[in-house]
Amino acid sequence: MTEISGSASRDERRPDVERRLIAAVSDLCADGARFADLSISRIVGAAAIGRATFYLYFPDRSAFSLRLVDHVRAELAGSVAAVWRAAGDRGALEAALADFVEIFAREYPLINAVMDAAVTDAQVAGRMDDNMQAFIAESARTIELAQQRETVRVDLPAVEAASALVWMVERTCSRMIGGSDEQERARLTRALTTIVWHSLHA
């Protein structure tokens, strides 16, 4: 990997610097490293950037960890929204959950990394909780709209149902996706589809 030159402006370089750092953490964690054990020197070495360049964009490790959290949220957000938009059609729901599961599997090393960081970094833990609450709020709004169209159960408390289902999907994927193969993820998708479908439909 080529070392980044100093010719580009700081703002112009940011996307490439962040992409390299995020990819480096993903690769290192996929190879079995714990994020908590990774030094900044090891991360920048794997990313082929200078240590000074890292600190140009991130004042400390916590700031970089927060960027990892934001990356994970951005990668998952679209597929989370798609799951609840598909709640009225079982085939579409299963397809949306399959997409979510595959994205979760792809991002699993980074998801594990931010969970690792959250153990000792209150800011990271807080950002992750904020993200989960945002996912729950969006899911609840989508369920409420579906209830207005009577495509899901109208007697279901939308906020509580969204909270239970979002946490169920997240915790299940966090526990079961690591090291899984394609067939195992397909079975997981079918199980999640059945649980979500029967929760939302009488």
Side-chain angles (χ1 to χ4, degrees):
M1 188 177 293
T2 305
E3 175 71 44
I4 297 173
S5 73
S7 59
S9 73
R10 173 178 172 173
D11 288 344
E12 289 172 338
R13 294 170 66 193
R14 176 179 285 276
D16 190 43
V17 170
E18 291 187 348
R19 177 185 59 77
R20 291 188 182 203
L21 289 168
I22 290 168
V25 171
S26 182
D27 290 345
L28 289 166
C29 291
D31 287 340
R34 287 186 63 243
F35 182 65
D37 296 333
L38 291 176
S39 66
I40 298 302
S41 294
R42 188 174 176 191
I43 293 170
V44 299
I49 68 170
R51 188 181 177 91
T53 299
F54 176 92
Y55 286 108
L56 183 65
Y57 295 97
F58 302 103
D60 53 32
R61 185 186 185 92
S62 182
F64 177 58
S65 298
L66 290 171
R67 179 65 187 91
L68 293 179
V69 175
D70 291 344
H71 168 83
V72 168
R73 173 188 165 84
E75 292 300 304
L76 293 176
S79 61
V80 171
V83 166
W84 305 111
R85 287 197 302 268
D89 181 287
R90 182 161 183 159
L93 175 64
E94 183 163 354
L97 278 166
D99 184 51
F100 173 83
V101 165
E102 288 307 312
I103 294 171
F104 201 102
R106 185 190 72 207
E107 298 298 322
Y108 187 77
L110 291 175
I111 292 169
N112 252 1
V114 298
M115 288 181 177
D116 199 11
V119 173
T120 57
D121 190 322
Q123 283 187 295
V124 172
R127 181 75 62 86
M128 290 177 67
D129 187 63
D130 288 345
N131 289 347
M132 286 297 293
Q133 295 309 315
F135 285 147
I136 289 167
E138 180 180 359
S139 302
R141 286 192 295 270
T142 306
I143 290 171
E144 287 169 348
L145 289 172
Q147 288 175 323
Q148 291 171 17
R149 297 191 298 268
E150 298 186 355
T151 56
V152 301
R153 290 173 54 183
V154 297
D155 63 326
L156 201 63
V159 174
E160 291 78 6
S163 181
L165 291 171
V166 168
W167 278 111
M168 181 273 296
V169 172
E170 187 275 337
R171 286 289 81 200
T172 300
C173 288
S174 294
R175 300 290 272 180
M176 296 186 68
I177 282 182
S180 64
D181 60 28
E182 187 175 336
Q183 289 185 336
E184 289 168 334
R185 292 193 296 275
R187 288 197 298 272
L188 174 60
T189 296
R190 289 194 295 272
L192 291 174
T193 300
T194 299
I195 293 166
V196 173
W197 179 260
H198 287 294
S199 297
L200 297 176
H201 298 269

